[in-house]
Amino acid sequence: MSNTLRLGIAGLGTVGSEVARLIQVEAPLHEKRSGKKLVVTAVSARDKNKKRDNGLSSLPWADNPSELAARSDVDAVVELMGGAEGAAKQLAEATLKAGKPLITANKALLAHHGLALSELARKQSAPLYFEAAVAGGIPIIKTLREALAGGQVDEIFGILNGTCNFILTTMRDTGRSFGDVLKEAQSLGYAEADPAFDIDGKDAAHKLSILSALGFGAPLEPEKLIAEGVRGITSQDILFADELGYRIKLLGVARQEKDGLFQRVSPYMVSTSSTLAHVNGAMNAIMIRGPVIGPLVLMGHGAGAGPTASAVLSDIIDCASGRQADGFASVMNPKATPLSAEKSKSAFYLRMMVQDQPGVLADITAIMRDAKISIQSVIQHGRSEAGPVPIVFITHDTSEKAFSEAFAAVKKLSSVLEPPCVIRILP
Ligand SMILES: NC(=O)c1ccc[n+]([C@@H]2O[C@H](COP(=O)([O-])OP(=O)(O)OC[C@H]3O[C@@H](n4cnc5c(N)ncnc54)[C@H](OP(=O)(O)O)[C@@H]3O)[C@@H](O)[C@H]2O)c1
């Protein structure tokens, strides 16, 4: 048995270059913890001529990342390129087919092809590790797969996208608009030039899908998961949330209910009595509840070179130590039926901009009454003869179906002047 683990790394960007740096600077620690020397023997990225630090430019180079899988001097492959298809998928398949361990941080790849890759991994007896794929430095994958393996989990929910949390927190702290804070997030490197993936909830949906598969055995189908983002949230909603004792957070929520598994990514009103309400800036936090463990909260940096590379290294050390990981194959549950959206229930915050004239409130409450929606409270501040005024309804628990019917009718009222804002209230 060799005392060295020879690694091929594909992807030398934010995460890949930090992984390579840590392998150098923490070598004695890694060897002590895993019993093996970690050595990078070959690399691949898009541009061979790019100047790279930490000796990466002088390492043997693979023009096509998939070549790493076949090299006789590579024992395990680390995929840090990203993307659900193309080079990343080809490399993942080639590695597992070659019977070699695959370590990846690629949530898009896993959310779309995690089950097929797990089956391939199992067939080839090749381990598949992906601690860095969800919530960066938070060890949520090992927590679900190993630490909580002894009992059921009822609920997994949390702040899975740091960009959105940064935007919502900064809007609250500064009173600035969504668009303005989004620009700041981009200039700080939190949001991509095209931020749609983050702010429309797709990134969080990939992560929730992976967590639901691990926690509940749910099928990996991120495209079927309801995902709403934070574009519609205004400073006014943040002020109303404060007044009502909530903070607005973009959450991924997966909860086992009687009729199936509820899954959703959307903005939620979170009570200020909850730990999640106080998770600020670009931080992530995940809460797990189970009948045996009760509540458990994990909080930390969900992205960034250091935290993500630290998670990748924990997988590399598991691999070097011979600790196995079979992806999703052992957790999938054919009976994990997703709950149809119409069957789920929630309390709602509904903010409308209305014309300040007699009868408006009566029209809206009549629609609610006809949909059998019970109102918990109504807030209206100030008067304006010239422009629209905000009016907020908080409902008691109501079905999605009843609420969406009432919402469609409210939007059609001529006195409702702008698209209303709907935010679910976290129970
Ligand atoms: N950044 C984070 O905070 C974070 C957090 C959690 C998970 N992740 C995941 O980690 C992975 C890497 O993210 P990153 O932020 O490090 O990305 P990045 O900075 O954009 O780096 C991507 C690297 O992959 C290479 N690459 C991209 N497409 C390629 C292709 N078709 N063929 C060969 N090489 C290719 C690039 O080559 P060049 O250098 O030549 O351009 C670059 O070295 C992604 O799956 C991401 O979702 C990232």
Side-chain angles (χ1 to χ4, degrees):
M1 189 98 158
S2 160
N3 64 351
T4 303
L5 181 72
R6 298 168 302 170
L7 299 162
I9 303 184
L12 306 172
T14 308
V15 183
S17 57
E18 180 63 7
V19 166
R21 191 188 72 82
L22 283 176
I23 286 175
Q24 286 181 14
V25 300
E26 297 288 11
L29 186 77
H30 296 158
E31 189 171 354
K32 194 166 168 212
R33 289 186 175 165
S34 71
K36 286 198 179 176
K37 251 194 194 74
L38 308 180
V39 182
V40 183
T41 46
V43 293
S44 182
R46 220 169 356 212
D47 180 357
K48 191 177 179 183
N49 299 318
K50 208 184 252 185
K51 195 181 162 307
R52 303 182 195 267
D53 296 334
N54 302 308
L56 286 171
S57 296
S58 57
L59 283 172
W61 177 271
D63 286 328
N64 178 344
S66 293
E67 289 165 21
L68 293 177
R71 286 182 72 111
S72 59
D73 61 353
V74 167
D75 302 317
V77 169
V78 186
E79 185 281 303
L80 299 170
M81 295 181 287
E85 309 295 333
K89 182 164 175 257
Q90 285 158 19
L91 174 61
E93 288 171 349
T95 303
L96 297 172
K97 276 184 190 152
K100 293 186 182 179
L102 174 71
I103 295 138
T104 179
N106 189 335
K107 58 205 153 230
L109 175 74
L110 291 162
H112 289 281
H113 305 294
L115 192 52
L117 290 173
S118 301
E119 279 161 3
L120 181 59
R122 183 174 260 199
K123 188 166 150 235
Q124 298 297 104
S125 303
L128 168 59
Y129 305 90
F130 52 93
E131 183 58 64
V134 179
I138 301 178
I140 184 64
I141 305 297
K142 288 189 174 80
T143 298
L144 283 172
R145 194 158 55 190
E146 296 168 23
L148 302 182
Q152 300 284 335
V153 162
D154 290 336
E155 195 171 16
I156 304 171
F157 60 103
I159 298 167
L160 301 175
N161 185 278
T163 308
C164 289
N165 205 43
F166 171 82
I167 292 173
L168 293 171
T169 309
T170 310
M171 283 173 74
R172 176 171 182 271
D173 289 348
T174 62
R176 283 156 55 203
S177 71
F178 173 80
D180 196 23
V181 178
L182 172 60
K183 277 193 202 121
E184 183 185 341
Q186 285 171 312
S187 72
L188 289 170
Y190 290 141
E192 302 291 328
D194 174 7
F197 202 64
D198 286 321
I199 64 176
D200 292 336
K202 300 273 185 288
D203 171 76
H206 281 160
K207 294 168 181 169
L208 184 66
S209 202
I210 293 171
L211 297 184
S212 290
L214 286 175
F216 303 101
L220 279 157
E221 295 171 331
E223 64 291 340
K224 289 196 186 159
L225 211 146
I226 298 171
E228 282 171 15
V230 294
R231 284 182 202 260
I233 312 261
T234 65
S235 313
Q236 219 160 29
D237 298 312
I238 288 176
L239 288 175
F240 277 121
D242 268 3
E243 182 176 339
L244 291 158
Y246 296 112
R247 298 279 186 275
I248 302 173
K249 298 287 177 192
L250 183 81
L251 298 184
V253 180
R255 185 172 52 237
Q256 189 61 58
E257 296 196 353
K258 201 164 47 63
D259 298 326
L261 181 67
F262 171 85
Q263 291 181 90
R264 174 174 207 111
V265 169
S266 61
Y268 275 87
M269 291 280 177
V270 179
S271 164
T272 49
S273 63
S274 161
T275 309
L276 289 186
H278 305 284
V279 175
N280 294 324
M283 297 293 267
N284 284 18
I286 301 167
M287 188 170 249
I288 303 166
R289 287 202 188 111
V292 183
I293 52 151
L296 169 69
V297 186
L298 299 173
M299 179 177 140
H301 291 283
T308 312
S310 155
V312 173
L313 253 310
S314 84
D315 280 345
I316 296 175
I317 288 167
D318 275 357
C319 178
S321 311
R323 282 190 284 273
Q324 295 295 313
D326 72 347
F328 300 93
S330 60
V331 294
M332 297 317 286
N333 172 10
K335 291 188 188 146
T337 347
L339 184 71
S340 85
E342 290 201 337
K343 281 199 171 170
S344 67
K345 279 191 165 186
S346 179
F348 290 86
Y349 160 98
L350 171 65
R351 192 255 311 145
M352 294 151 285
M353 299 304 293
V354 301
Q355 210 148 25
D356 196 4
Q357 63 189 27
V360 173
L361 197 57
D363 288 344
I364 299 168
T365 45
I367 288 172
M368 298 286 187
R369 180 203 59 214
D370 293 349
K372 300 196 170 43
I373 295 173
S374 146
I375 312 289
Q376 191 203 73
S377 54
V378 179
I379 310 177
Q380 186 180 11
H381 295 311
R383 300 215 53 193
S384 160
E385 277 165 26
V389 289
I391 182 165
V392 168
F393 279 67
I394 302 291
T395 75
H396 286 292
D397 261 3
T398 185
S399 75
E400 286 282 340
K401 187 168 184 287
F403 186 82
S404 63
E405 281 166 12
F407 183 61
V410 161
K411 273 199 300 189
K412 282 191 199 144
L413 291 173
S414 59
S415 50
V416 174
L417 301 174
E418 294 172 15
C421 174
V422 176
I423 303 178
R424 283 154 189 81
I425 298 175
L426 189 72

